[in-house]
Structure formats: structure tokens, C-alpha cells
């Protein structure tokens, strides 16, 4: 009869003295050394309890010390697995690291077949010799999926067991003890022990001891995993930071932008080589390219196309070589058999938009990678990661392909995320170059449009002969004449017009003037204030400028060249007849008169509110004072042409000053700004009354730049509304023109008349005629109003009388109608 295990355990428990004596004899230092892996010299025990405690503490201490001193994860885990093999009597142990490629998880051997007498170098698996387990294959894959420890006593009875590794290594697996290594909920690795050597299977005690030591392994693998993630995030941050730095340095060209960014971040890509293929962005072919297809002379394109329908054509490949001596190769118009394209992978990525992560590229069945060395260094393609570069419009603009991770391992999910972040950023940054290109095109279109406008607005050589008739007099163009000759021509024709049309008078009317005569009067005004000679204004330029200004006004009802001239003339009259010139320098006088002529150039006949409501581009371009800013910009546009620039001989400081004054003067014609400057002007008026000595007041104002600008702004408003100061015969006609032009938008001038404006004459008595004109015209309008109301009242009274007469006649003809409610209103019965 055989002795059972339970009988032996019962006997030893009941005879502790015998058990102690027996184990003292049989457990020699040599036996313990073999089991524990410790040197025999360190073993000198007489008690089993002391042996177990000291042995375990020494092993734990040794492991912790290795973890502290070694950053090499494989070395520390190797020691743990080696000791585990001895303690649980496993034939061998293995470490499988978890990773993802193309979004699919897998396990790859990192330490394989670790036994009690193994060496580290023999157990570390090189990247090109990895055994890769999909998660749906084998017991190790099942452990990774379920994240639970398994103790398989007989693999033949387990449905998840796969024998492909046994067949590969000619090994027979009988039983397995495997456990996952987790970092929180994330799988890091799986450790597996195979084949119990001293029994039929691993026991519960083996499993407890296995899990106890795995806690140390888990700590080490967690540290390794977190360190790796930290390294990846650091690389990603540096990569995006440096690529952003270079992307925003280069906005002009997408090729240079990509090149700068990709070259700068090469140290963070962790690969031997990478190439970027740029795609042709043409969506529609030219008609002359389509005709051969339509005529049947050429077969239609049947090759791959991008998701947005473009033909996959790489117009340039940039190859970055990082192994050995760094180099960059740019291949414009690469042939189809170029090594970077011949595999078909970049074309597939451009067509599908997928991220492709391929290990052991030479054995891939879908793509045909070149297996021979690409250069004299013997470099070959092993692992490949290819990603599309997608812009904000979700168009694929290129394909980036990375080759061979530097440590020899396949690219994992962290590499995919890092490279995707880079390509995504580059794709979005393409918006910068697209925007820059659009801005350039818009700028070019603007230049073309301005050139067209200038062609139609600018005074032509034949038109200038209407004023400077040098062809008739000298047979040459004005540009070929001396300044003295041009001055003589102008002196002959222009001065008489000033007296003829009463340019110095506030009552001036343009009704008897032709538009050409207004141009000539405008030219003469510059001579009258003495700025032509003082500031060396070329006379041909002055004539061309005034002529062009007149052509710049549209032929509309009111805001036409005649209105522009009237404002300029009123400004001239205020400065001369009104004696306001004494507050300003000649340069400022020149700027104010010019601003008067330009203040409504290219007016559209509608007000600012209409521009906003109609969505006019002017309203989008200028946030406030829409038309006024447009007039200002148009005026500056004319002055930017050298042949029209009357300021061309001023120094830079003088030019800045006159442009500043023109800005103020023209923007001030926006009536919406009137009340903002009204209070400030009132203070100046009140201040003027405190000065008894007029000379002191003039000296004070001449030095007060801000006050002069406020007065100038009010002068521009007064000039713009000066039509209401004209004699009744003139003002009534102008009012009709204004009403006709602003019928739909509202009469801004009438709105202003309903206010109580500050009387400019209180500030300067010399312009009293303007106030007198306003008061007289108000009387005339009130008289017209009373006349209209009287006529309307007479008509209403006459109608009422007629209605009463008809009613009385009807009552006399039908006296009984009022007493019968049933009588007919259309006939009576006799």
C-alpha cells in the first residue's frame, strides 16, 4: 500500500522533532545554493526557518539594489525571472511587452526562455527576431485581453493555447503560469512561466510566490513605462515647439516651410531616414489637357486619386538622411521607380488617408519595398511608418514616411502619435502659406484694379492740353517745357477766372462755371495762397493733380466734382477772406485746401448707413466713418503717383504733417463726429472772448496745435455744409439736388439743420456773411412752408364747403329719408 502526500504531512506535523532532525541532515549548503542561486560560502544555516527568512530578504534586497543602480529594465527583470525559475521550479520564463501598431495591440518577446542557468545576452530578443503575438492568439494573448492571471495545468485542455511557438522552437509546453503587468488600467507587459520541473503543474503556493516577485517586476516595468511615456511626451513637446518656431518663420512657400520644420526637428524623430512627398494640388485640368481625352487620342486617367478627387502626382520628394553623414536630397518631378515611391506605400497613403505602420518591410506582401541596400553604407529598409499630411480643408497635401527606428524596434503607437502630431501641425500650418498666397493674389488684384482706376482717373496727355496747351504753343509736351514757360501759360488764363467767378466771396456759385473752369480756378487757388513757389510744386504735376481730382468724382446728383470744388473754395475763402489763415502756416493752408478738394472724391451718392445695410465691401474694410476713410485713401492713392504728387518736394517731416492734417480734415466731414468736437470747439470760442488783444490771441492759437486741429475740423464741417449759407437762389437748387440724391437714405443736411449749431461767427466775426445766409435761407424755407400750409388749408376748406353743399342739396331732394331707417340710399319711391 502506497503512502499518500497527506499521510506524510500529517506525520511530520505530529513529530516536529523528527522533522527538524531530518531536514538538518538533508538540507546541505550545496543544495540550498543550487536552489537559491546564492554563493555556497554565504550559506551556513542549521535551521530551516532561519534559512527561508534570510534567503528571501537577501533576494529582495538584491533586486531592489539592482532596480536602483540599473536603468536597464531588461537586466532587472531578467534577474527576477531567473530567480523565479529557481523558486517555483519553472523550466523557463519569458517577458512579452505590449505595444500598438496601426491601432491594433500586440505582444512582442523582449526576454525569452529565461532559466536558472541563462545569461542575459542569450535571452534578450533582438528587434529583428521578435515573436509577435496578436491579442487574439494564444494563452499569452488571452491574458493580455482579460488582464487576469492564469494557471494552466494542462495546455492541451485549454482552448486558447496555440502551438505555433512550440513548432517554431521545437519545444513542448505542458503547463503555463502567466500574469499581466498593469500600470493602472493600461497593459504594460505579460510575464509567463512554463513547465513545472518538479511536479505535474504549478501549485497555488507557486502562484503566490510568482505574484509576490512580480510585484517587484511590476514596479520596475511601471518605472520603465512611465519613463518611456515621459520621453515621448518630451520629444513631442520639443518637436511641436521647434516646428512651430520654423513654420512661422517661413510663410511664403509650403516647400520651404515643410523643409525648415522637418529639418529642425530631425533629432526628435528617432529614425534613420525620412522622406516627404508633396502632392500636386491641381483639381481641375486645363481645357487643352482635356481635349486629347475627349477626342479619343489619349486614355482617361485611371490611376489612384486622393479622397477629394485629385490625381495622385508627387511633384517633389525631399529625402532626409540621418544615419551616417547627414544629407538632404531634393528630387523634383520624381520618377515612379524612385525608391521612396516604388513600394507603392506613399501612393496608398495619399489615396486612402490611412496611417500605415509596417514592421519587417522586406517581407510585407502588400507593398514591394527595396530589399537591397539603398546606398554604399549598406542601409536597408526594415520598419516603415507613413502618414498623410492633411490641411485644414481636409485635403492631403503630402505624405511623410519614416524609416527604421534608431533602436531597431518597430514604430509603436507613441511614435504614431508623435509623427501624427507633427504631420497634422504641418498640414494645418499649410493654411499660413495658403493665406499668404491668397493675400499676395489679392494684393496683385488690388494693384491691377488700382492701375485700371488710375488709367481712367489720371489726367491724360491730351487732356492736359486743355490747360497747358504746349503742343499748340511750342509743339512739345508739358514735361519738355521749362517751369517758367508753364507758369506764363497759366498766368495768362487762370487769374482772370478768380475775379470773374468771385472765388474770394462766400456767395460764390458754380452754376455759371464749366467743370474745366472749376479745375482752372482750383489750380489758381494754390498760386493765390503762395504755396506753389514756396514748396516747389511742379506746375505740370499741379495741373495733372487737379484735373485727376475732378475726374475722380463720380457723375452723381450732388456729391460730384462741383460739390468737391465748392468745399475747397469755401475753405480757401475762410482762410483768405475770413482771415483764418493767420492761425496756420502755409504748409497747413496747402493741406487744408487739398483736403477740401479731395474730401468726397469717389462718393457713391449714398451715406455710411447705406454702406453698412447693403453690406458694401467699404463697410467691411472701414469700421467707422466709412466713406470718409475711403475718400481719404483714394486721395492718398492719387498722391502716391509721382506725376500727381504735389507734395513730392517736401521733406519727410513736412509730408507726414500734411498727411496727418488731411487725415483729420477729411475724417472730420463725418457728421457723426460733429458732437464729439462740438464741446471742445465751444471751449475754444469761449476762450477767445477772454482775450482783448487780438494779436495775442492769434499768437496763442498759432502755437496751439491741438486747438488748431479742432478749429480746422470744424472748418471742414462748415465747408461741407456751406451750401446752406449761399444766396437763396443758389441754396434752394442745391437743396433739391441733395434731396434727390439722398431720397432713400435720408437727408443728413436736414438732420443737422434741426440741431442748434454753435455760430462760427461768434468765434470769427469776418465770416458773418455765412451766418447771414443761413438765417436768410431759414426765413425763405419758413416762408415756403407757410405758403404751402396756406394752400393746403385753402384746399381743405374748399373741399369741406363743397361736401356741406352737396349734403344740404341731398336733404332737400329727399326730405323723408331722415325719418325712415328702411329707405333706399340709391333711389326713392314716389
Amino acid at each position: 500500500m502506497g503512502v499518500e502526500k497527506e499521510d506524510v504531512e500529517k506525520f511530520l506535523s505530529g513529530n516536529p522533532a523528527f522533522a527538524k532532525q531530518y531536514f538538518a541532515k538533508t538540507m546541505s549548503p550545496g543544495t540550498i545554493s543550487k536552489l537559491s542561486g546564492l554563493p555556497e560560502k554565504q550559506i551556513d544555516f542549521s535551521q530551516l526557518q532561519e534559512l527561508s527568512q534570510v534567503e528571501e530578504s537577501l533576494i529582495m534586497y538584491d533586486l531592489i539594489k539592482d532596480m536602483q543602480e540599473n536603468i536597464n529594465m531588461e537586466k532587472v527583470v531578467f534577474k527576477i525571472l531567473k530567480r523565479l525559475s529557481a523558486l517555483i521550479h519553472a523550466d523557463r520564463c519569458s517577458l512579452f511587452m505590449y505595444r500598438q501598431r496601426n491601432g491594433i495591440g500586440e505582444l512582442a518577446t523582449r526576454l525569452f526562455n529565461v532559466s536558472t542557468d541563462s545569461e542575459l545576452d542569450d535571452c534578450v530578443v533582438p528587434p529583428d527576431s521578435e515573436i509577435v503575438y496578436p491579442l487574439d492568439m494564444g494563452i499569452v494573448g488571452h491574458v493580455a485581453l482579460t488582464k487576469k492571471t492564469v494557471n494552466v495545468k494542462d495546455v492541451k485542455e485549454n482552448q486558447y493555447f496555440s502551438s505555433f511557438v512550440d513548432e517554431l522552437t521545437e519545444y513542448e509546453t505542458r503547463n503555463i503560469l502567466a500574469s499581466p503587468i498593469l500600470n493602472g488600467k493600461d497593459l504594460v507587459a505579460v510575464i509567463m512561466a512554463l513547465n513545472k520541473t518538479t511536479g505535474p503543474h504549478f501549485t497555488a503556493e507557486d502562484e503566490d510566490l510568482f505574484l509576490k516577485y512580480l510585484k517587484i517586476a511590476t514596479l520596475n516595468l511601471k518605472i520603465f513605462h512611465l519613463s518611456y511615456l515621459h520621453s515621448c511626451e518630451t520629444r513631442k513637446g520639443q518637436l511641436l515647439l521647434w516646428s512651430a518656431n520654423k513654420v512661422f518663420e517661413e510663410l511664403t512657400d509650403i516647400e520651404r516651410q515643410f523643409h525648415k520644420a522637418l529639418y529642425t526637428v530631425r533629432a526628435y524623430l528617432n529614425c534613420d531616414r525620412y522622406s516627404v512627398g508633396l502632392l500636386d494640388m491641381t483639381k481641375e485640368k486645363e481645357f487643352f489637357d482635356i481635349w486629347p481625352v475627349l477626342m479619343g487620342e489619349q486614355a482617361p486617367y485611371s490611376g489612384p486619386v486622393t479622397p477629394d478627387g485629385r490625381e495622385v502626382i508627387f511633384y517633389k520628394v525631399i529625402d532626409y538622411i540621418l544615419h551616417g553623414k547627414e544629407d538632404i536630397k531634393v528630387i523634383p518631378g520624381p520618377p515612379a521607380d524612385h525608391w521612396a515611391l516604388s513600394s507603392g506605400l506613399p501612393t496608398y497613403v495619399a489615396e486612402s488617408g490611412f496611417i500605415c505602420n509596417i514592421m519587417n518591410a522586406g517581407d510585407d506582401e502588400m507593398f514591394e519595398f527595396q530589399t537591397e541596400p539603398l546606398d554604399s553604407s549598406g542601409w536597408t529598409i526594415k520598419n516603415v511608418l507613413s502618414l498623410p499630411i492633411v490641411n485644414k480643408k481636409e485635403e492631403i497635401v503630402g505624405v511623410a514616411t519614416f524609416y527604421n527606428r534608431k533602436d531597431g524596434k518597430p514604430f509603436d503607437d507613441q511614435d504614431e502619435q508623435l509623427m501624427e502630431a507633427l504631420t497634422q501641425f504641418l498640414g494645418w500650418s499649410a493654411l499660413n502659406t495658403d493665406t499668404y498666397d491668397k493675400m499676395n493674389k489679392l494684393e496683385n488684384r488690388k494693384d491691377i484694379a488700382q492701375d485700371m482706376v488710375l488709367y481712367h482717373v489720371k489726367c491724360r496727355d491730351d487732356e492736359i492740353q486743355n490747360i497747358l496747351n504746349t503742343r499748340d504753343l511750342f509743339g512739345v509736351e508739358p514735361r519738355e517745357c521749362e517751369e517758367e514757360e508753364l507758369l506764363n501759360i497759366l498766368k495768362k488764363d487762370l487769374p482772370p477766372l478768380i475775379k470773374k467767378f468771385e472765388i474770394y466771396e462766400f456767395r460764390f456759385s458754380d452754376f455759371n462755371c464749366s467743370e474745366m473752369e472749376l479745375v482752372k480756378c482750383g489750380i489758381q487757388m494754390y498760386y493765390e495762397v503762395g504755396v506753389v513757389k514756396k514748396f516747389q510744386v511742379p506746375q505740370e504735376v499741379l495741373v495733372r493733380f487737379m484735373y485727376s481730382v475732378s475726374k475722380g468724382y463720380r457723375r452723381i446728383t450732388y456729391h460730384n466734382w462741383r460739390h468737391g470744388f465748392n468745399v475747397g473754395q469755401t475753405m480757401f475763402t475762410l482762410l483768405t477772406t475770413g482771415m483764418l489763415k493767420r492761425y496756420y502756416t502755409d504748409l497747413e493752408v496747402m493741406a487744408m485746401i487739398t483736403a477740401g478738394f479731395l474730401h468726397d472724391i469717389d462718393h457713391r451718392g449714398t451715406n455710411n448707413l447705406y454702406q453698412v445695410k447693403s453690406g458694401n465691401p467699404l463697410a467691411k474694410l472701414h469700421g467707422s466713418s466709412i466713406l470718409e476713410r475711403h475718400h481719404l485713401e483714394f486721395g492718398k492713392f492719387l498722391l502716391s503717383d509721382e506725376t500727381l504728387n504735389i507734395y513730392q518736394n517736401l521733406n519727410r517731416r513736412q509730408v507726414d504733417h500734411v498727411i496727418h492734417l488731411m487725415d483729420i480734415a477729411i475724417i472730420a466731414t463725418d457728421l457723426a463726429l460733429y458732437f464729439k468736437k462740438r464741446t471742445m470747439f465751444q471751449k475754444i470760442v469761449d476762450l477767445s472772448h477772454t482775450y482783448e488783444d487780438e494779436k495775442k490771441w492769434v499768437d496763442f492759437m498759432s502755437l496751439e496745435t491741438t486747438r488748431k486741429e479742432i478749429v480746422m475740423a470744424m472748418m471742414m464741417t462748415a465747408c461741407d455744409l456751406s451750401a446752406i449759407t449761399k444766396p437763396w437762389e443758389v441754396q434752394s437748387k442745391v437743396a433739391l439736388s441733395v434731396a434727390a440724391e439722398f431720397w432713400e437714405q435720408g437727408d443728413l443736411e436736414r438732420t443737422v439743420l434741426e440741431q442748434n449749431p454753435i455760430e462760427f461767427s461768434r468765434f470769427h466775426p469776418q465770416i458773418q456773411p455765412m451766418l447771414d445766409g443761413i438765417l436768410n435761407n431759414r426765413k425763405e424755407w419758413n416762408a415756403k412752408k407757410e405758403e404751402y400750409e396756406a394752400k393746403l388749408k385753402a384746399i381743405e376748406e374748399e373741399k369741406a364747403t363743397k361736401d356741406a353743399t352737396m349734403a344740404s342739396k341731398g336733404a332737400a331732394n329727399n326730405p323723408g329719408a331722415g325719418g325712415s331707417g328702411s329707405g333706399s340710399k340709391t333711389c326713392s319711391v314716389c
Side-chain angles (χ1 to χ4, degrees):
M1 183 177 178
V3 180
E4 299 293 334
K5 177 181 178 182
E6 290 77 8
D7 298 332
V8 176
E9 290 178 351
K10 185 177 180 181
F11 174 79
L12 293 175
S13 299
N15 300 276
F18 171 80
K20 183 177 180 181
Q21 184 180 1
Y22 174 78
F23 281 106
K25 291 181 180 180
T26 56
M27 294 299 288
S28 65
T31 305
I32 297 173
S33 175
K34 184 177 180 181
L35 290 173
S36 64
L38 295 172
E40 190 172 336
K41 293 179 179 179
Q42 297 182 13
I43 300 171
D44 184 16
F45 307 111
S46 58
Q47 300 295 330
L48 178 62
Q49 184 177 6
E50 295 176 0
L51 168 66
S52 300
Q53 293 175 350
V54 173
E55 177 192 4
E56 188 171 4
S57 64
L58 286 175
I59 292 172
M60 291 296 180
Y61 173 76
D62 196 23
L63 289 175
I64 298 298
K65 186 177 179 181
D66 283 342
M67 287 177 59
Q68 183 180 5
E69 295 178 354
N70 292 285
I71 59 173
N72 187 333
M73 178 272 296
E74 287 88 351
K75 185 175 181 180
V76 174
V77 176
F78 170 77
K79 286 188 175 183
I80 294 174
L81 296 184
K82 187 175 179 179
R83 286 167 181 165
L84 267 177
S85 298
L87 292 173
I88 65 174
H89 303 287
D91 183 49
R92 57 190 63 184
C93 295
S94 297
L95 169 67
F96 296 84
M97 295 300 296
Y98 175 78
R99 69 185 181 212
Q100 284 188 354
R101 291 188 307 111
N102 299 316
I104 301 172
E106 63 186 21
L107 292 166
T109 53
R110 183 67 62 86
L111 293 172
F112 194 61
N113 291 347
V114 179
S115 60
T116 55
D117 55 355
S118 296
E119 296 294 332
L120 176 63
D121 294 340
D122 297 331
C123 297
V124 175
V125 181
D128 56 355
S129 302
E130 289 179 342
I131 299 175
V132 179
Y133 272 93
L135 298 191
D136 58 352
M137 183 178 182
I139 293 175
V140 68
H142 175 67
V143 171
L145 277 177
T146 59
K147 300 179 181 178
K148 294 181 180 179
T149 302
V150 296
N151 186 353
V152 181
K153 297 180 179 180
D154 187 354
V155 296
K156 294 179 180 179
E157 297 178 1
N158 190 284
Q159 60 177 333
Y160 300 108
F161 177 69
S162 174
S163 62
F164 94 96
V165 177
D166 284 358
E167 296 169 359
L168 189 67
T169 59
E170 298 181 353
Y171 181 79
E172 182 182 356
T173 302
R174 298 188 306 275
N175 42 72
I176 296 175
L177 179 59
S179 179
I181 305 297
L182 302 176
N183 181 21
K185 294 183 179 180
D186 298 331
L187 181 68
V188 177
V190 173
I191 291 180
M192 182 171 66
L194 300 179
N195 294 359
K196 175 81 171 180
T197 58
T198 59
H201 56 76
F202 294 105
T203 64
E205 291 79 4
D206 294 330
E207 187 175 338
D208 290 341
L209 188 57
F210 182 73
L211 294 177
K212 182 188 296 184
Y213 275 83
L214 285 194
K215 289 180 180 179
I216 305 298
T218 299
L219 178 60
N220 183 258
L221 286 166
K222 277 185 178 181
I223 294 172
F224 168 77
H225 183 63
L226 291 173
S227 176
Y228 177 64
L229 292 179
H230 176 265
S231 173
C232 291
E233 289 301 321
T234 302
R235 283 170 54 211
K236 185 188 293 185
Q238 291 293 323
L239 181 142
L240 292 177
L241 179 64
W242 282 105
S243 58
N245 178 274
K246 294 302 176 183
V247 157
F248 293 110
E249 273 186 10
E250 182 57 61
L251 301 177
T252 59
D253 183 74
I254 189 171
E255 296 175 25
R256 296 177 63 186
Q257 185 184 66
F258 282 10
H259 169 66
K260 276 192 172 185
L262 286 167
Y263 181 73
T264 302
V265 301
R266 64 192 184 282
Y268 305 104
L269 297 178
N270 194 28
C271 63
D272 287 345
R273 194 166 187 161
Y274 57 98
S275 65
V276 178
L278 299 176
L279 285 168
D280 185 0
M281 298 302 292
T282 305
K283 290 186 177 180
E284 296 182 2
K285 289 187 175 182
E286 297 286 354
F287 61 88
F288 45 77
D289 292 325
I290 299 175
W291 282 346
V293 177
L294 298 177
M295 293 292 291
E297 299 175 2
Q298 181 179 322
Y301 179 80
S302 58
V305 295
T306 61
D308 61 330
R310 288 177 287 119
E311 297 178 7
V312 177
I313 300 174
F314 291 97
Y315 72 88
K316 184 172 288 187
V317 169
I318 308 174
D319 184 18
Y320 299 84
I321 303 169
L322 304 182
H323 63 90
K325 184 180 179 181
E326 287 191 3
D327 193 12
I328 301 172
K329 296 180 180 178
V330 180
I331 304 96
D337 60 352
H338 185 270
W339 74 268
L341 305 177
S342 60
S343 65
L345 177 60
T347 301
Y348 173 78
V349 172
E351 183 179 14
S352 64
F354 295 156
I355 297 174
C356 292
N357 188 349
I358 300 172
M359 60 181 292
N360 299 327
D363 298 330
D364 192 81
E365 298 177 355
M366 186 172 180
F367 305 105
E368 298 180 1
F369 291 96
Q370 186 172 328
T371 55
E372 299 81 14
L374 295 181
D375 50 38
S376 58
S377 66
W379 185 85
T380 58
I381 301 174
K382 297 177 182 178
N383 305 309
V384 183
L385 175 59
S386 188
L387 307 93
I389 302 175
V390 184
N391 64 15
K392 290 288 282 185
K393 298 178 183 178
E394 298 187 357
E395 299 169 331
I396 298 177
V397 299
V399 175
T401 308
F402 304 88
Y403 302 94
N404 297 8
R405 214 167 93 158
K406 284 187 175 181
D407 58 5
K409 299 174 184 177
F411 294 103
D412 58 18
D413 59 323
Q414 295 296 325
D415 295 309
E416 290 177 11
Q417 292 176 21
L418 186 142
M419 306 305 188
E420 185 179 14
L422 173 63
T423 54
Q424 195 172 46
F425 183 80
L426 290 177
W428 291 350
S429 68
L431 182 65
N432 293 335
T433 56
D434 291 344
T435 304
Y436 183 83
D437 185 54
K438 288 180 181 178
M439 288 176 60
N440 272 339
K441 289 181 178 178
L442 288 174
E443 189 72 21
N444 293 333
R445 289 194 182 102
K446 185 202 76 172
D447 292 341
I448 293 170
Q450 286 184 340
D451 186 60
M452 293 167 61
V453 169
L454 196 59
Y455 175 79
H456 292 285
V457 171
K458 189 176 177 180
C459 176
R460 301 192 307 269
D461 288 343
D462 60 318
E463 291 175 329
I464 199 173
Q465 294 298 318
N466 294 325
I467 301 174
L468 293 174
N469 55 338
T470 56
R471 292 179 183 175
D472 296 337
L473 297 175
F474 311 117
V476 295
E477 296 296 330
R479 70 179 66 92
E480 301 172 28
C481 298
E482 298 292 335
E483 288 294 311
E484 191 65 29
E485 295 174 330
L486 299 178
L487 179 60
N488 290 334
I489 297 174
L490 296 175
K491 277 184 176 180
K492 180 180 178 182
D493 297 334
L494 302 189
L497 297 176
I498 297 296
K499 186 175 182 180
K500 177 182 178 181
F501 297 118
E502 299 180 320
I503 297 299
Y504 278 93
E505 301 298 330
F506 289 111
R507 63 176 180 271
F508 164 80
S509 170
D510 64 279
F511 290 165
N512 296 323
C513 305
S514 67
E515 292 190 357
M516 183 55 60
E517 288 173 329
L518 295 180
V519 173
K520 293 179 178 179
C521 289
I523 296 170
Q524 183 59 28
M525 287 181 195
Y526 286 93
Y527 287 97
E528 296 293 319
V529 294
V531 297
V532 178
K533 184 177 181 180
K534 183 172 183 177
F535 299 113
Q536 301 177 14
V537 181
Q539 288 160 118
E540 181 191 359
V541 171
L542 177 60
V543 173
R544 287 186 183 275
F545 171 73
M546 284 304 300
Y547 206 124
S548 300
V549 169
S550 69
K551 293 177 68 177
Y553 279 85
R554 301 190 181 196
R555 295 189 176 277
I556 53 180
T557 307
Y558 176 68
H559 287 99
N560 48 38
W561 163 234
R562 289 183 177 275
H563 169 69
F565 177 83
N566 272 280
V567 173
Q569 182 272 335
T570 305
M571 178 61 74
F572 170 80
T573 307
L574 283 172
L575 291 167
T576 55
T577 307
M579 299 175 64
L580 286 167
K581 184 176 180 290
R582 56 185 174 173
Y583 300 126
Y584 298 95
T585 65
D586 289 339
L587 186 65
E588 292 167 343
V589 168
M590 183 182 183
M592 293 164 70
I593 294 175
T594 304
F597 289 134
L598 290 171
H599 86 286
D600 268 339
I601 193 168
D602 196 45
H603 200 289
R604 283 87 194 288
T606 51
N607 61 18
N608 288 334
L609 182 60
Y610 179 81
Q611 312 306 320
V612 174
K613 288 184 175 180
S614 64
N616 192 287
L618 285 177
K620 299 174 182 177
L621 182 63
H622 306 297
S624 61
S625 303
I626 297 166
L627 285 171
E628 290 73 21
R629 295 187 188 279
H630 173 62
H631 306 323
L632 176 62
E633 292 300 321
F634 198 100
K636 291 179 180 178
F637 165 62
L638 291 182
L639 290 168
S640 66
D641 188 284
E642 195 66 19
T643 62
L644 304 178
N645 185 10
I646 58 176
Y647 302 143
Q648 60 184 253
N649 289 324
L650 300 180
N651 61 43
R652 183 175 179 179
R653 186 174 180 180
Q654 290 174 320
V655 170
D656 291 342
H657 187 49
V658 294
I659 295 298
H660 171 67
L661 292 177
M662 286 177 59
D663 288 351
I664 295 173
I666 295 178
I667 300 300
T669 59
D670 182 4
L671 293 177
L673 305 177
Y674 170 73
F675 290 101
K676 292 184 179 181
K677 59 193 177 188
R678 185 178 188 271
T679 305
M680 294 182 286
F681 181 62
Q682 178 70 64
K683 293 179 180 178
I684 297 174
V685 173
D686 295 340
L687 182 62
S688 67
H689 294 158
T690 63
Y691 279 78
E692 296 181 359
D693 189 339
E694 186 176 359
K695 186 177 183 303
K696 289 183 178 179
W697 168 247
V698 172
D699 292 341
F700 171 76
M701 278 295 295
S702 300
L703 299 175
E704 287 290 320
T705 303
T706 303
R707 288 183 172 85
K708 284 165 59 177
E709 290 175 354
I710 295 170
V711 173
M712 179 186 69
M714 292 299 289
M715 289 169 66
M716 280 298 296
T717 301
C719 292
D720 199 18
L721 302 175
S722 61
I724 61 175
T725 71
K726 303 293 183 180
W728 171 248
E729 297 78 13
V730 176
Q731 198 269 336
S732 58
K733 293 181 181 179
V734 173
L736 293 175
S737 298
V738 173
E741 183 175 284
F742 288 97
W743 182 259
E744 293 184 359
Q745 292 81 34
D747 190 350
L748 292 179
E749 282 76 6
R750 184 188 59 177
T751 304
V752 174
L753 288 175
E754 290 178 355
Q755 305 298 324
N756 295 318
I758 302 170
E759 296 175 4
F760 214 120
S761 59
R762 288 178 54 202
F763 169 63
H764 211 69
Q766 285 82 353
I767 59 174
Q768 182 67 32
M770 297 181 75
L771 176 61
D772 295 340
I774 292 175
L775 297 176
N776 180 66
N777 289 329
R778 181 183 291 176
K779 291 179 182 177
E780 293 289 345
W781 283 116
N782 286 333
K784 289 285 184 182
K785 177 183 176 183
E786 292 171 0
E787 182 182 346
Y788 171 77
E789 289 177 347
K791 288 182 179 179
L792 185 63
K793 184 177 180 181
I795 292 172
E796 290 176 349
E797 290 175 352
E798 183 180 353
K799 183 180 179 182
T801 304
K802 188 181 291 185
D803 290 345
T805 304
M806 292 295 293
S808 61
K809 287 182 179 181
N813 293 333
N814 189 15
S820 175
S822 61
S824 173
K825 294 182 180 180
T826 57
C827 65
S828 60
V829 180
C830 297

